Amino acid sequence: MKRIKIKELLATTQVGTQACVKGWVRTKRISKNIIFIALNDGSTLHNLQIVVEPSQLPEVTLQSIVPGSSLCVEGTVTASQGQQQRIELHGKQLTVLGDAANYPLQPKKHSLAFLRTIAHLRFRTNTFGAVFRIRHAISYAIHQFFHEQGFVYLHTPIITGIDAEGAGAMFHVTTLAPDHLPKQEDGSVDFLQDFFAQRTHLTVSGQLEAEAAALGLAEVYTFGPTFRAENSNTTRHLAEFCMVEPEMAFYDLKDNIALAETLLKYLIRFVMEQCPDDLAFLHQKTLAAQPSRNTETTLPLLERLERIIAQPFQCITYTEAIDILKASKANKKGKFVYPIQGWGDDLQAEHERYLVERFFKQPVVITDYPNAIKAFYMRQNEDEKTVAAMDILFPGIGEIVGGSQREERLDKLLTRMQQMKINTETLQWYLDTRRFGTVPHSGFGLGLERLVQFITGMENIRDVIPFPRTPGNASF
Ligand code: ATP
Ligand code: MN
């Protein structure tokens, strides 16, 4: 008999129908000589209740039905006597596909930290099932959104020769043996003998390549793995993560912000519509965590999401942000680890969170940062002090999007690169895009995992990616 997914069976199958399901045992309970099995196949948060009589089964089969073992069950769909579910499956034939003696995931509460040590098994829990179904829905909706808007999906290289984007420390890519490095006469490594005959790294961003494509295809986006070798051991940083990077010709900073805001709201709405059960489950978890203070980050999950889509994002300039922070009680009372001295200071996570969670109590877009703290490709403003940058900050997350209008004027771009000691030699191809038919254009980077974190309410970014890569950890 053909297998039916439990999600489909629970939603549509009529009482009296014969059905075949396959999945993993969550719990087993014996009552009045009847076995009740909660079976889950990953298609939905909900388990299917399987009812079997022990007398129907050989002793070895009975013993193998334990939490974690996998089963194939054929039987009759029956109206359930229990309050928990509409229907259940009365098994006529039951086969154990794989047993699970000493299964480490016994049905009881496990900490997220423990589950990280068995990341290969955590897909079988309610929480991670919900998280990864939602992560899928978000990824799917990203493609759907850009497709609807006429964008072209672009695969930019993961191995890159660009070493000066300034977005973060990079991982080397080489086939040279670490203990037999070929040397030049001056003692430095001879990368001409390396695989690509030059130094190469794992990409920190596909932006520069996406810009080239945008100046021809007009609207493109990349969506793929990105690598940062920073030693940031935080709940918001990974060494390997996914970034969504749209790049649009003929967009100025305002258009850029509007696109990012529309995208973020679209994705949140999509998940609310498509994954109501998984979201409700995660919502309940945030309720159970019982907040001590009622700040923006301790609101129940669904309220947090509804607030984001209900109102326009608050837009302020960097200069206004500094004024607010400088005058804040938190700053005056020395509550910031990095006190705000004045204009020119970089904004730390604590400042971002103050603005979003305490001051505005909604997402904040900060624009027009000092050029000294932003990348070389951002467009110089007329004041010659600031650039047309924008960061979008979310409650509980901090920066979720970073973007800018790009410097399209060749002379200004060259001056900036020289000031910042960026190697113009290896970026001649990039400068060509400003030599031949340059146009105003803009783009941004959205961290997929930070968005999944926000939408699922998971506190640690390591719990929204299947196998996290962080300093000191590349297990699995
Ligand atoms: P942060 O200041 O938070 O370290 P960033 O300014 O270095 O971030 P960008 O270079 O602007 O980040 O990257 C664009 C987006 O990619 C960020 O807004 C964020 O959503 C995501 N991102 C950046 N670094 C990481 C990381 N190490 N792990 C996960 N997501 C990240
Ligand atoms: Mn940034």
Side-chain angles (χ1 to χ4, degrees):
M1 195 187 276
K2 192 171 176 290
R3 159 181 171 252
I4 181 171
K5 292 199 184 203
I6 290 176
K7 181 179 183 179
E8 198 187 327
L9 185 142
L10 289 175
T12 60
T13 306
Q14 302 293 322
V15 167
T17 315
Q18 298 300 302
C20 167
V21 296
K22 297 179 186 180
W24 294 267
V25 175
R26 284 291 175 83
T27 57
K28 179 178 78 170
R29 171 167 72 81
I30 304 180
S31 162
K32 294 188 198 130
N33 220 18
I34 294 179
I35 308 178
F36 296 93
I37 302 163
L39 196 74
N40 189 285
D41 70 355
S43 62
T44 163
L45 185 73
H46 303 293
N47 302 325
L48 175 65
Q49 175 152 286
I50 309 284
V51 180
V52 276
E53 279 172 36
S55 56
Q56 294 174 298
L57 299 172
E59 186 58 28
V60 281
T61 306
L62 278 177
Q63 301 220 331
S64 296
I65 304 173
V66 293
S69 64
S70 44
L71 310 181
C72 170
V73 189
E74 289 186 29
T76 314
V77 176
T78 311
S80 181
Q81 309 277 306
Q83 302 295 311
Q84 310 284 327
Q85 58 275 318
R86 177 180 70 92
I87 51 174
E88 58 195 24
L89 189 70
H90 285 210
K92 280 191 197 141
Q93 270 201 31
L94 187 152
T95 322
V96 175
L97 301 174
D99 49 27
N102 304 318
Y103 185 54
L105 254 182
Q106 290 303 315
K108 59 165 190 152
K109 259 208 170 319
H110 296 287
S111 73
L112 293 171
F114 167 71
L115 291 174
R116 247 169 259 145
T117 68
I118 51 164
H120 57 301
L121 296 174
R122 64 181 180 169
F123 301 103
R124 302 186 191 183
T125 63
N126 284 338
T127 300
F128 288 94
V131 165
F132 290 115
R133 279 186 296 270
I134 289 175
R135 185 183 163 112
H136 161 76
I138 296 170
S139 306
Y140 178 82
I142 286 166
H143 288 298
Q144 181 172 295
F145 174 86
F146 285 117
H147 180 72
E148 284 169 5
Q149 306 250 347
F151 280 60
V152 173
Y153 176 35
L154 198 74
H155 297 89
T156 49
I158 286 171
I159 300 172
T160 176
I162 307 170
D163 62 357
E165 281 166 84
M170 302 178 89
F171 292 101
H172 291 281
V173 175
T174 180
T175 52
L176 297 176
D179 35 10
H180 292 103
L181 291 175
K183 297 281 170 66
Q184 290 177 301
E185 269 169 20
D186 66 0
S188 63
V189 176
D190 183 8
F191 283 101
L192 279 174
Q193 295 191 42
D194 202 351
F195 188 90
F196 295 106
Q198 66 170 95
R199 277 182 101 116
T200 48
H201 298 93
L202 293 178
T203 185
V204 292
S205 156
Q207 180 201 317
L208 301 190
E209 290 97 345
E211 278 188 60
L215 293 173
L217 293 162
E219 283 151 318
V220 302
Y221 70 105
T222 74
F223 180 9
T226 311
F227 305 86
R228 306 260 168 114
E230 301 142 303
N231 201 0
S232 309
N233 246 314
T234 77
T235 54
R236 305 176 308 124
H237 287 91
L238 292 163
E240 176 179 328
F241 62 100
C242 268
M243 194 146 55
V244 184
E245 295 179 277
E247 200 63 42
M248 300 77 64
F250 319 117
Y251 274 50
D252 66 12
L253 189 67
K254 279 212 167 63
D255 302 325
N256 199 22
I257 295 169
L259 181 78
E261 182 169 347
T262 311
L263 170 66
L264 288 166
K265 288 179 173 171
Y266 179 99
L267 297 175
I268 292 170
R269 255 190 225 108
F270 186 94
V271 175
M272 290 175 86
E273 281 164 22
Q274 301 289 320
C275 312
D277 294 354
D278 289 325
L279 264 191
F281 171 79
L282 294 166
H283 173 79
Q284 283 304 322
K285 272 177 67 111
T286 57
L287 287 182
Q290 246 337 297
S292 47
R293 295 170 300 131
N294 209 24
T295 69
E296 214 52 16
T297 43
T298 53
L299 281 177
L301 182 60
L302 287 171
E303 278 174 50
R304 265 181 253 169
L305 300 181
E306 258 146 25
R307 283 179 65 107
I308 301 286
I309 51 181
Q311 51 193 345
F313 294 178
Q314 175 74 44
C315 238
I316 57 167
T317 64
Y318 164 87
T319 307
E320 288 164 343
I322 288 291
D323 290 345
I324 293 169
L325 288 165
K326 213 172 157 204
S328 69
K329 270 204 193 125
N331 198 49
K332 288 183 177 155
K333 288 190 174 167
K335 294 275 167 64
F336 290 137
V337 180
Y338 298 91
I340 293 287
Q341 318 276 352
W343 202 91
D345 288 358
D346 204 350
L347 299 183
Q348 306 293 331
E350 55 178 347
H351 307 130
E352 299 177 346
R353 297 190 66 161
Y354 175 85
L355 290 169
V356 179
E357 292 160 27
R358 310 252 308 268
F359 196 83
F360 288 109
K361 302 192 190 301
Q362 62 168 323
V364 178
V365 189
I366 303 184
T367 64
D368 304 292
Y369 283 81
N371 53 19
I373 57 172
K374 287 291 179 184
F376 73 90
Y377 47 73
M378 297 193 178
R379 192 176 196 275
Q380 193 82 31
N381 286 330
E382 266 166 28
D383 62 11
E384 301 207 332
K385 279 171 25 194
T386 60
V387 287
M390 64 102 167
D391 277 6
I392 302 184
L393 316 177
F394 261 28
I397 303 288
E399 183 189 324
I400 195 160
V401 164
S404 69
Q405 184 167 340
R406 315 307 189 191
E407 183 56 82
E408 84 281 14
R409 299 160 296 186
L410 181 63
D411 54 331
K412 293 224 162 30
L413 184 59
L414 272 172
T415 312
R416 196 79 208 295
M417 288 171 84
Q418 275 145 14
Q419 280 169 358
M420 296 179 76
K421 303 207 163 45
I422 307 278
N423 183 351
T424 49
E425 215 51 5
T426 55
L427 285 174
Q428 282 306 316
W429 65 269
Y430 182 71
L431 292 166
D432 266 359
T433 60
R434 274 62 170 175
R435 291 191 181 104
F436 311 124
T438 190
V439 296
H441 63 286
S442 299
F444 61 82
L446 160 66
L448 175 72
E449 286 76 13
R450 290 203 188 160
L451 180 63
V452 179
Q453 244 188 307
F454 181 76
I455 296 184
T456 58
M458 298 299 286
E459 278 171 18
N460 196 320
I461 198 164
R462 296 161 203 215
D463 296 331
V464 299
I465 189 164
F467 298 107
R469 268 69 184 111
T470 51
N473 172 39
S475 309
F476 308 102

